[in-house]
């Protein structure tokens, strides 16, 4: 329960607090995130049509292309500007992950290949990888147990 003094303080703070443009930020994130996904779908269609790959076979080169593009754009400083403009829209899982790893590697390149890039590249993304491996193990084990129970 807030006291009268705390309520007055909150009201005073709200007078000087700038409003965030939530709608325009959401719209930019939606458009940029959708554009990245549409680009991924277009790349996938190119691999399927030109190289005569199935949908499943075209997924790996599509992901590799998106990862390479995001890493190159990060290296040239373009992806950072895109992230500042689009916010969460640029964090589409594959490209955002590539950006996080590449920016960490670039930040620590002056410290050398092993102790700089190798040791620091996974600082930000290491938790994501560990959680992904752990959750994949739990889901796989659960699926195995369910299949054993059904049979």
């Amino acid at each position: 329960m807030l006291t009268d003094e705390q309520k007055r303080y909150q009201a005073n703070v709200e007078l000087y607090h700038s409003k965030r443009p939530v709608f325009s930020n959401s719209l930019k994130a939606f458009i940029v995130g959708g554009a990245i996904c549409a680009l991924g779908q277009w790349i996938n269609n190119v691999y399927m049509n030109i190289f005569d790959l199935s949908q499943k076979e075209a997924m790996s080169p599509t992901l590799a292309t998106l990862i390479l593009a995001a890493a190159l754009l990060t290296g040239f400083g373009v992806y950072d500007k895109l992230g500042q403009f689009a916010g969460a829209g640029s964090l589409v899982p594959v490209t955002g992950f590539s950006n996080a790893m590449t920016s960490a590697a670039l930040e620590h390149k002056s410290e050398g290949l092993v102790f700089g890039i190798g040791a620091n590249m996974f600082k930000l993304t290491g938790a994501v990888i560990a959680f992904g491996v752990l959750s994949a193990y739990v889901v796989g084990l659960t699926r195995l147990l369910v299949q054993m129970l059904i049979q």
Side-chain angles (χ1 to χ4, degrees):
M1 188 90 167
L2 294 175
T3 64
D4 288 336
E5 185 177 331
Q6 289 173 330
K7 289 178 186 177
R8 283 193 308 261
Y9 177 77
Q10 282 293 90
N12 195 19
V13 167
E14 288 178 14
L15 289 174
Y16 297 102
H17 197 22
S18 62
K19 304 289 185 218
R20 291 187 294 167
V22 175
F23 180 75
S24 64
N25 288 348
S26 300
L27 185 64
K28 288 189 279 189
F30 178 77
I31 289 171
V32 171
I36 292 171
C37 292
L39 175 67
Q41 184 61 52
W42 179 79
I43 293 169
N44 196 41
N45 290 345
V46 167
Y47 282 125
M48 286 171 44
N49 294 328
I50 292 179
F51 299 110
D52 197 32
L53 298 174
S54 69
Q55 176 83 24
K56 191 173 184 178
E57 293 170 334
M59 283 181 165
S60 295
T62 300
L63 290 174
T65 303
L66 287 171
I67 289 168
L68 177 64
L72 289 173
L73 290 174
T74 299
F76 292 125
V78 175
Y79 206 90
D80 294 334
K81 291 178 184 172
L82 181 70
Q84 289 173 354
F85 172 76
S90 65
L91 296 178
V92 175
V94 172
T95 55
F97 190 79
S98 175
N99 172 275
M101 286 187 66
T102 306
S103 60
L106 289 172
E107 185 177 333
H108 298 285
K109 71 180 179 181
S110 63
E111 298 170 26
L113 287 175
V114 176
F115 293 113
I117 295 173
N120 293 304
M121 184 167 47
F122 296 104
K123 273 187 175 177
L124 181 62
T125 57
V128 176
I129 294 171
F131 182 75
V133 169
L134 178 66
S135 61
Y137 176 77
V138 169
V139 168
L141 187 62
T142 304
R143 182 175 179 204
L144 177 69
L145 291 173
V146 168
Q147 284 179 343
M148 289 173 60
L149 289 173
I150 291 175
Q151 293 177 359

